[in-house]
Amino acid sequence: MKISTHLKALERSSRRMRGEASARMNPCSASSTASTSFRAVELVRPHMKKLAAYTPIEPFEILSRKLGRDPDDICKLDANENPYGPPPEVLQALGNMRFPNIYPDPECRALREALAKDVGIPMEHLLVGCGADELIDLVMRVMLDSGDSIVDTPPTFTMYVFDADVNDAKVITVPRTDAFRIDVEGIKKAVLENQPKIVFLTSPNNPDGSVISDEELLQILELPVLVVLDEAYIEFGTSKSRIGWVTRWSNLAVLRTFSKRAGLAGLRVGYGAFPLDLIEYLWRAKQPYNVSVAAEVAACAALSNPDYLARVRDALVEERHRLHQVLSSFPFLAPYPSEANFILCKVTGRDAGELKAQLAQEGVMVRHYAKKELSGYIRVSVGKPDQTDILERALQRLA
């Protein structure tokens, strides 16, 4: 009887010891969590704790579930994507892609050579990124110390402020005029009084499609500051690109993208042109394999068919004129002229956010902004003619 009782006690002790050992080895166990008082979140940089997350556009599959509609039944006019997609050579090239198991060329030499021919400047001035967004952040990481400042000209592309916040930079705001023109004198004053390192400009501007004149740009280039000119939508306007200016101006950088012109938004390919003495430091700081093999192959294939790119551009510009006429026909919409692949509309006599939600229920997605200066507006991307028809019928039902 005593032996049996002793054996049971040993068994209970053994189970207890095994449980304690298991808890020590399992970092996810409750007892392990309770045994430590240190939380890694306490090491997060203070300014990151105040960072507001960027609000992206939702993809088709998420919209499909939310709206209870098949993706093919959604008319997506909210993200300025190219509805025609890339040239057929892109899908062919991706299907025949060699060596996806090998790391990509860190210098994107094949693409930079093709781009040099496309834009007419030496490839030494060109740097390719995972979308132009990556290059915006890269420029800030190279140029800005904590507490340095940039100049932003809202309403405009919100990534400039987002990346400034990520990099713990201050943002000096020089608002645009009521007609969305940049305030050149205001920018001059801000630069001279605050000594920012970078001025971000967008031409055509997102969200209204207005452009910056040569005279305006030249005045700003005379200031002691780096001017970053974002030309994501330049192909859809009448103004010529200033990308060649980087060979003459040592304080100008120009950003471009394959997302709009070439229909490659999903593959994330952007590029920038920089003065040679500046690009050296960008090369040092960029991630070595930032552009995937697939992205470079696709971009090179897109550039191989300039006729397709030109036809798609012309089709979108033509449809932009028609879209403007359609929007103008509704008394509660006042569309602005645009040189991009979208149109900004002021909504009058009704709530713009509510109109956006009502259109979503009709299966039509447009962009609405929560920020005060744009709360009374919607932005509509230019689509194919049948998408304009769908939008028009939806607006007629809501009128």
Side-chain angles (χ1 to χ4, degrees), residues 86-145:
E89 288 82 359
V90 169
L91 295 180
Q92 182 179 359
L94 289 172
N96 296 328
M97 184 174 59
R98 302 180 64 193
F99 309 125
N101 57 312
I102 303 299
Y103 285 112
D105 176 8
E107 296 183 22
C108 288
R109 276 164 279 216
L111 179 52
R112 286 169 56 235
E113 288 176 5
L115 281 170
K117 295 176 183 177
D118 185 58
V119 301
I121 63 173
M123 65 180 287
E124 289 76 18
H125 286 275
L126 298 171
L127 185 66
V128 181
C130 181
D133 291 354
E134 184 198 14
L135 299 180
I136 294 169
D137 179 64
L138 178 62
V139 168
M140 291 196 196
R141 287 193 290 115
V142 168
M143 301 291 293
L144 302 177
D145 286 318

Side-chain angles (χ1 to χ4, degrees), residues 290-304:
N290 60 324
V291 179
S292 72
V293 173
E296 184 174 12
V297 164
C300 288
L303 290 176
S304 74

Side-chain angles (χ1 to χ4, degrees), residues 139-211:
V139 168
M140 291 196 196
R141 287 193 290 115
V142 168
M143 301 291 293
L144 302 177
D145 286 318
S146 177
D148 283 342
S149 58
I150 70 163
V151 170
D152 184 49
T153 61
T156 190
F157 189 36
T158 54
M159 281 300 295
Y160 312 135
V161 171
F162 175 78
D163 281 328
D165 290 342
V166 170
N167 286 280
D168 197 22
K170 298 176 183 177
V171 178
I172 301 163
T173 298
V174 182
R176 290 172 177 255
T177 68
D178 291 341
F180 296 102
R181 303 298 308 174
I182 60 168
D183 179 1
V184 175
E185 294 304 317
I187 293 172
K188 289 180 181 180
K189 186 173 184 288
V191 170
L192 296 177
E193 291 182 355
N194 299 280
Q195 291 81 51
K197 287 189 173 179
I198 310 172
V199 173
F200 283 95
L201 302 173
T202 312
S203 185
N205 185 49
N206 179 7
D208 65 286
S210 63
V211 296

Side-chain angles (χ1 to χ4, degrees), residues 92 125 144 238 316 350 374 399:
Q92 182 179 359
H125 286 275
L144 302 177
T238 56
L316 288 171
R350 60 200 306 172
L374 289 174

Side-chain angles (χ1 to χ4, degrees), residues 240-252:
K240 291 184 178 180
S241 170
R242 282 71 171 239
I243 197 166
W245 289 25
V246 300
T247 62
R248 306 192 305 273
W249 289 91
S250 60
N251 64 329
L252 174 66

Side-chain angles (χ1 to χ4, degrees), residues 1 7-8 11 60-61 63 138 174-175 189 218 222-223 236 246 262 280-281 291 307-308 334 346 360 371 373 393-394:
M1 191 75 172
L7 288 173
K8 289 180 179 178
E11 189 173 279
F60 260 145
E61 55 271 23
L63 289 173
L138 178 62
V174 182
K189 186 173 184 288
L218 288 169
E222 294 291 348
L223 299 170
F236 303 104
V246 300
E280 172 188 351
Y281 298 98
V291 179
D307 291 339
Y308 175 93
K346 187 173 184 178
K371 291 194 174 184
E373 65 266 26
R393 289 194 294 269

